[in-house]
Amino acid sequence: PVEVRKGPKSTTWYNACVLDVRGDAILVGFEDDVWPRREVPAYSVRRCPLDGCCAATDDPQVDEVVEVLLQSSETNPSGWFLGRVKTIRNSFYFISFVGSTKGSQHQQDVIVERSALRPCSPELPLEPACLTRRRVVVEEDLHAWVRSQDSLGCLSHVQRCAGLLVASCTSAASETAEPPDVLLVGEAHAVDLGEKILTQIHFKHQVDMQKFHDLREGLVERLAEMREYHSTLHKEVFTVEQHLVGKIIGKKGENINQVRERHEVDIQVLDDTSDPKGHGTFTTITVTGDSADSVRRAREELEFVTERMDLQPEQVGWILGKGYQNISDIARKTELSYARFDDKAGCLELCGLKHQVENARMLIEAHTEYLSVYKTMDEEQCAIQQGFEQLEATLGGASTVPSRWSNGAVAGPAATRRGRDVATTMLGVGPGAGKAAAVASRAASAAVGDVGVAGRGSGQRRSAKGGRKGGGK
């Protein structure tokens, strides 16, 4: 910024800015274009005083010559005119004009506050012979930047730090065919310093920033495309216990890779997710694919779970079977990873894919429902057995056996025992009870899933290895 006066004898200086230097003439422009651009002689242009140079050490005194702020209006820009302090009242200064001529707009005294006064400027008019005019070439990558409003802050910084009169972009219009450059005007050393600041600092960093912005725009565009693509995908997220991750991945990733290829899905495994309930660590599995069906099928092949079923003491032998035969058959039929009984906790632990564990639980529950049936059969067997024994004891040496067993003949103890054996065999008791119970058990298991279940009812005993031995009555 500079200050411009209308003539060599004028004591009023208006705020303006230098646009260019053309020999002894200086092209200036005024704030808000209140006056059109014009060329003025160099002796009518001076630099604005530095802030520190115009700071008065003491308040202006009476008869002291000062410069007074001239407010801008619709007809003139702001500026400073020369005045003399006539008197001071209550922090207000009464100022008369110095150098005013007859007919001037500054005929009457003015009253102002201290903030509207400054000491007379020490700046001298410009010397065109001492000014240097230089155009700095701008790299092609920075053409758009130097023409934009973003460059104004950098150019202002160069002008202020180097003490230049001008630091502006030429050919600022984007439609201009001529490539833009930066015009620097000032004293020779100021122009050299300004060029170094411009090229070695601002241009260097702006090139890096421009590359970053270009990269950023590409990444943002790519991100938008990926978001749009992923918004159309189907996704399912589930968690598994961390110790089951190995089963999901398989040896050298064989299992998870097969699932990816078979269903054409993407599978992400995120480890060490804390369980909010405080039951250890879980692993989060995310399955993403083009169709909901492929994602669902992939999840079914990956979602391993562990379920624990509490068993009543009387249910243990019935469910496990002799030598763990029943539970082994269920685990094999439903393709569980394993099924094991915790003797101390009294619970059965099932591990496998979610649908496998659900199928195994259904078979175990269905098999358990038959336990009460076989207990009733045992009770009826005992009652009939006791009836024959009482009959044999009452008759002593002879017994009347029903005709269907003895063809109407009167039978002795031997015939009674034969009749009892026939009856108990038909009811599933006595020597043939174990075989009959096994046949009935297998028939019950077949009704809930064709599962072979081996066992001998509630009358079983724990073996040394924690199993159950058959104990038919």
Side-chain angles (χ1 to χ4, degrees):
V2 293
E3 295 174 349
V4 179
R5 60 184 175 181
K6 290 183 176 181
K9 296 182 179 181
S10 175
T11 58
T12 301
W13 295 81
Y14 297 94
N15 292 320
C17 61
V18 176
L19 303 178
D20 203 350
V21 176
R22 300 169 182 174
D24 291 338
I26 298 177
L27 179 65
V28 297
F30 300 91
E31 58 185 6
D32 299 328
D33 292 328
V34 66
W35 289 345
R37 297 180 179 185
R38 63 182 66 175
E39 286 188 352
V40 297
Y43 60 76
S44 292
V45 181
R46 72 182 184 184
R47 292 178 181 272
C48 292
L50 299 177
D51 294 338
C53 295
C54 289
T57 56
D58 298 312
D59 289 335
Q61 302 301 314
V62 175
D63 289 334
E64 184 176 347
V65 177
V66 295
E67 290 184 342
V68 184
L69 177 63
L70 174 66
Q71 299 292 343
S72 62
S73 67
E74 295 181 356
T75 58
N76 63 267
S78 63
W80 297 86
F81 61 86
L82 204 60
R84 186 184 302 275
V85 179
K86 292 180 63 176
T87 184
I88 304 173
R89 295 178 184 175
N90 299 325
S91 300
F92 287 95
Y93 294 79
F94 292 76
I95 307 296
S96 63
F97 292 91
V98 176
S100 298
T101 59
K102 188 176 180 179
S104 172
Q105 59 177 334
H106 308 309
Q107 293 294 324
Q108 298 180 350
D109 294 346
V110 295
I111 303 174
V112 297
E113 295 181 352
R114 174 66 183 86
S115 59
L117 302 178
R118 75 179 186 185
C120 294
S121 173
E123 297 291 337
L124 299 175
L126 298 179
E127 289 289 344
C130 298
L131 299 179
T132 299
R133 186 177 185 275
R134 184 180 302 170
R135 288 177 177 267
V136 180
V137 178
V138 180
E139 298 181 30
E140 184 177 357
D141 292 342
L142 296 178
H143 284 183
W145 169 78
V146 80
R147 283 182 169 133
S148 69
Q149 296 292 321
D150 296 338
S151 67
L152 297 181
C154 295
L155 296 178
S156 177
H157 175 265
V158 172
Q159 181 178 355
R160 183 175 63 257
C161 291
L164 295 169
L165 292 172
V166 178
S168 61
C169 173
T170 64
S171 304
S174 58
E175 61 272 7
T176 305
E178 184 180 355
D181 53 27
V182 175
L183 175 63
L184 303 180
V185 178
E187 297 178 357
H189 70 278
V191 171
D192 291 339
L193 177 59
E195 184 176 8
K196 289 180 180 178
I197 296 175
L198 184 65
T199 58
Q200 298 180 19
I201 303 297
H202 291 295
F203 280 4
K204 176 180 178 296
H205 290 304
Q206 288 299 326
V207 168
D208 294 338
M209 291 173 62
Q210 190 63 42
K211 291 180 179 178
F212 168 77
H213 286 307
D214 293 341
L215 176 62
R216 176 181 174 277
E217 289 179 2
L219 292 176
V220 169
E221 183 179 354
R222 175 60 177 163
L223 179 61
E225 293 176 355
M226 292 182 65
R227 283 177 174 171
E228 182 179 0
Y229 168 72
H230 282 285
S231 65
T232 63
L233 296 178
H234 298 270
K235 180 171 68 174
E236 290 198 18
V237 181
F238 58 95
T239 59
V240 298
E241 296 179 40
Q242 196 174 43
H243 68 88
L244 297 175
V245 176
K247 296 180 179 294
I248 295 175
I249 297 176
K251 185 178 181 180
K252 297 182 179 180
E254 180 179 356
N255 183 59
I256 196 171
N257 289 332
Q258 288 179 354
V259 174
R260 284 192 181 109
E261 295 175 1
R262 183 161 51 248
H263 300 291
E264 298 180 349
V265 296
D266 179 63
I267 304 171
Q268 299 293 330
V269 180
L270 180 62
D271 290 331
D272 298 330
T273 301
S274 297
D275 180 13
K277 297 182 179 179
H279 298 316
T281 56
F282 279 65
T283 296
T284 300
I285 311 295
T286 303
V287 182
T288 308
D290 293 331
S291 69
D293 186 60
S294 63
V295 172
R296 178 186 56 79
R297 292 199 305 268
R299 175 175 180 170
E300 290 177 353
E301 297 184 20
L302 296 173
E303 191 172 10
F304 280 84
V305 298
T306 301
E307 182 172 326
R308 294 167 179 81
M309 298 180 63
D310 294 328
L311 301 183
Q312 299 298 324
E314 64 272 14
Q315 296 175 333
V316 174
W318 176 253
I319 293 175
L320 299 183
K322 183 178 180 180
Y324 292 93
Q325 184 62 43
N326 287 357
I327 194 62
S328 297
D329 286 344
I330 292 177
R332 177 175 52 82
K333 292 289 186 179
T334 57
E335 300 179 340
L336 289 177
S337 295
Y338 65 80
R340 55 195 179 201
F341 178 69
D342 186 342
D343 191 41
K344 294 182 178 180
C347 68
L348 181 65
E349 182 176 301
L350 308 177
C351 179
L353 294 174
K354 186 175 182 180
H355 68 276
Q356 295 171 346
V357 172
E358 290 175 351
N359 291 342
R361 185 183 69 249
M362 180 191 67
L363 293 181
I364 292 171
E365 290 174 350
H367 179 62
T368 305
E369 292 177 358
Y370 281 87
L371 176 59
S372 60
V373 176
Y374 277 84
K375 289 178 67 176
T376 301
M377 292 170 59
D378 283 344
E379 293 172 356
E380 293 178 356
Q381 169 188 327
C382 290
I384 295 174
Q385 180 75 14
Q386 290 175 0
F388 275 104
E389 291 175 355
Q390 292 174 358
L391 179 60
E392 184 175 352
T394 301
L395 297 178
S399 174
T400 302
V401 182
S403 60
R404 57 181 297 186
W405 295 332
S406 61
N407 295 322
V410 175
T416 301
R417 286 192 297 273
R418 284 196 302 271
R420 178 192 61 201
D421 292 342
V422 171
T424 55
T425 299
M426 294 178 66
L427 291 174
V429 298
K435 183 176 180 180
V439 173
S441 177
R442 285 194 295 272
S445 297
V448 294
D450 191 25
V451 177
V453 180
R456 299 202 179 200
S458 60
Q460 297 176 328
R461 298 186 301 275
R462 184 183 304 278
S463 66
K465 293 183 180 180
R468 295 284 183 170
K469 291 186 177 181
K473 296 186 182 297

